Amino acid sequence: MMIARAVVTFCAALALGCAPAGDRPHDPNIVLVFKHGKLSGDGAILSNILREFERRHPGIVVREELLPSSSDRQHQYYAMNLDGGQAPFDLLGVDTIWVQEFAKAGWIASLEKVLPPAEREQFFPGPIKAATFKGQLYAVPWYIDAGVLYYRRDLLDRHGVAPPKTWPDLVHAAQRILDAERDPRLAGFVWQGKQYEGLVCFALEVLHSNGSDLWGGDRARAEAGLRFLRETVAGHRITPVSVGMADEESTRQIFGSGRALFMRNWPYAWSLFQREGSLVRGKVGIAPLPSFPGYPSAPVLGGWMLAVPRASAHQQEVGELIRFLTSPDAQRLVALGLGYNPTRRDLYADESLVGARPLLKDLYPIFLEARPRPVTPYYLLLSQALQPEVSAVVVGRKTPREALDAVRRQLTRIVGSSDLPVAVEGL
Ligand code: GLC
């Protein structure tokens, strides 16, 4: 109901308040192919927005083509299809970590004119930085992500346990509730442990939350961070072994079916838990990720942006489509209907939105503080060096020390310097 009303309001606002974009007539029958990863939730929300764009731009048709939601698999597709200067699509959803690589390769067009510098200030600064290559903007932030902790408020309340602020608190809380509940189907803490980008995100969150890092800095603390990942499974026994194959969606399903106390995930899962028929509706809380005592919480910055292949023949029209999709009205609708959060900061003070989605107030400082992964055209190379090593720790095939040695050896080779932290910053 609320979503249907929001769509009507959106169209009304557009009809009354905004002049139709593009004063000049468009070539009739331009088809803009919009390739993006599958979003969770009701697909009609985004297609309604696209239909509204078509209504306002006679002669333009937008065709959505979906890829799997996994960032790694989408990257593979784009790398294959953009290399060689072709583009069987006009608009693409890019993970925040790819923009530097795609811009450097010459695969995507500068969007300097689509989002003028003054308007960029209305967006969160982290994503704008990630979207800027050599002083030019190459992507417009579409929605923002940061790691958060989900917890079963009902179970914590029943056992008089407060949401944990530190990792040791989380371990104790989970052990205590698991012991008392004696439910073999209930896991303590689920997170993304499969060998893929999501694992790099969580590993960085844990290491950053004790002041260490994977590629440089204090070794002992970095090893302790990696050890924590393994110990959730092996020593503390609060995490099922199957976490070694888990991604965002599989952990969301475990938590969503009432089979976990705590979960690390991105904010998108919240709205899905509150849907009618959800087994955990009204029973879930969300909090900043814990940290090690004495250090602050350290969520990783994630999120998706919109970019245009250099080879698209419809640069102007697709620029208008990007402005439309990242407008306050469209971002409000996507947040309300799908739970993907706005990249425009003012929307976090917008009563009509925050009233319906109060969670945004809690998320705002988390998004503002979230720490970007290294902003470099070589990010994927770094990540692919890390993934098998961190995964080997999670499944118990390598000790944290062995994995960290291997990671630092490989990164040194990639960067071509022994002074890794500095070199990674300035690649
Ligand atoms: C989410 C984030 C993205 C991250 C990915 C990892 O989609 O928005 O930035 O790379 O998860 O799985």
Side-chain angles (χ1 to χ4, degrees):
M1 273 307 283
M2 185 168 68
I3 293 165
R5 214 172 37 238
V7 174
V8 172
T9 317
F10 175 60
C11 300
L14 289 168
L16 294 172
C18 321
D23 295 323
R24 66 176 183 79
H26 293 284
D27 296 350
N29 306 322
I30 289 180
V31 178
L32 300 179
V33 177
F34 177 15
K35 203 100 197 174
H36 64 87
K38 188 175 175 322
L39 303 178
S40 303
D42 182 0
I45 304 286
L46 184 56
S47 37
N48 284 342
I49 296 174
L50 296 174
R51 298 300 77 80
E52 180 58 23
F53 176 82
E54 291 171 346
R55 201 186 62 72
R56 297 186 53 219
H57 296 78
I60 300 187
V61 172
V62 184
R63 203 173 68 221
E64 269 182 281
E65 288 184 3
L66 299 188
L67 291 171
S69 60
S70 149
S71 172
D72 304 56
R73 288 178 62 191
Q74 290 185 52
H75 183 271
Q76 245 167 35
Y77 173 87
Y78 289 128
M80 264 163 47
N81 282 277
L82 290 168
D83 201 15
Q86 329 142 8
F89 41 86
D90 303 283
L91 176 62
L92 66 153
V94 288
D95 194 335
T96 173
I97 49 180
W98 308 336
V99 184
Q100 305 292 310
E101 175 195 356
F102 288 14
K104 182 168 193 289
W107 292 344
I108 51 178
S110 161
L111 299 182
E112 273 299 291
K113 297 213 178 83
V114 172
L115 191 73
E119 209 179 329
R120 285 173 218 167
E121 283 161 25
Q122 296 164 16
F123 286 68
F124 281 102
I128 291 289
K129 185 172 172 222
T132 307
F133 177 70
K134 297 205 166 150
Q136 302 245 332
L137 191 76
Y138 280 86
V140 179
W142 188 23
Y143 61 85
I144 187 166
D145 264 340
V148 288
L149 182 73
Y150 290 82
Y151 60 91
R152 282 287 299 280
R153 196 180 17 225
D154 57 332
L155 292 177
L156 266 65
D157 285 352
R158 186 190 298 165
H159 296 278
V161 171
K165 291 212 165 34
T166 67
W167 294 118
D169 283 353
L170 179 142
V171 171
H172 293 143
Q175 285 173 340
R176 180 163 151 200
I177 298 175
L178 290 180
D179 282 351
E181 288 285 322
R182 299 196 163 279
D183 175 354
R185 291 176 68 246
L186 188 66
F189 179 36
V190 293
W191 41 273
Q192 294 77 48
K194 179 172 133 179
Q195 184 179 320
Y196 81 123
E197 182 58 30
L199 172 60
V200 174
C201 293
F202 183 53
L204 289 175
E205 289 170 338
V206 168
L207 268 68
H208 292 165
S209 75
N210 79 0
S212 67
D213 214 326
L214 274 168
W215 25 73
D218 189 287
R219 272 199 69 104
R221 283 210 300 274
E223 281 178 30
L226 287 176
R227 194 169 316 113
F228 173 76
L229 294 181
R230 172 65 185 157
E231 279 180 350
T232 61
V233 179
H236 307 313
R237 295 180 179 279
I238 56 170
T239 296
V241 173
S242 58
V243 85
M245 316 236 284
D247 61 9
E248 286 86 358
E249 278 297 86
S250 58
T251 45
R252 172 179 72 82
Q253 268 146 19
I254 294 174
F255 191 91
S257 61
R259 287 186 287 128
L261 277 175
F262 296 107
M263 171 179 70
R264 182 271 174 209
N265 212 323
W266 309 100
Y268 80 96
W270 175 260
S271 306
L272 301 171
F273 294 149
Q274 307 310 326
R275 282 198 301 201
E276 221 167 294
S278 154
L279 292 173
V280 293
R281 190 177 183 186
K283 298 179 177 169
V284 180
I286 205 165
L289 285 175
S291 56
F292 288 94
Y295 294 93
S297 166
V300 151
L301 177 71
W304 290 76
M305 312 201 182
L306 297 172
V308 185
R310 273 237 309 242
S312 165
H314 307 299
Q315 300 286 332
Q316 146 127 17
E317 291 80 2
V318 86
E320 285 168 19
L321 177 55
I322 289 183
R323 287 195 62 78
F324 193 80
L325 285 170
T326 56
S327 66
D329 285 327
Q331 293 211 355
R332 195 180 289 112
L333 270 184
V334 167
L336 285 173
L338 291 171
Y340 290 96
N341 296 297
T343 48
R344 290 178 176 270
R345 287 188 285 166
D346 352 347
L347 287 174
Y348 293 74
D350 174 310
E351 281 313 316
S352 68
L353 178 57
V354 178
R357 194 170 157 75
L359 173 69
L360 287 174
K361 279 213 161 68
D362 301 326
L363 291 176
Y364 183 76
I366 299 180
F367 291 147
L368 209 54
E369 295 294 315
R371 186 151 153 186
R373 284 158 278 174
V375 177
T376 150
Y378 306 102
Y379 178 76
L380 258 280
L381 220 57
L382 301 181
S383 173
Q384 279 160 7
L386 303 178
Q387 290 177 15
E389 299 303 330
V390 181
S391 166
V393 172
V394 172
V395 300
R397 256 195 308 107
K398 280 193 178 179
T399 63
R401 167 162 307 193
E402 287 165 346
L404 202 63
D405 281 345
V407 161
R408 294 199 173 172
R409 240 190 345 263
Q410 289 185 56
L411 294 183
T412 307
R413 209 173 47 232
I414 291 170
V415 176
S417 153
S418 55
D419 190 8
L420 221 50
V422 176
V424 168
E425 273 301 313
L427 275 173

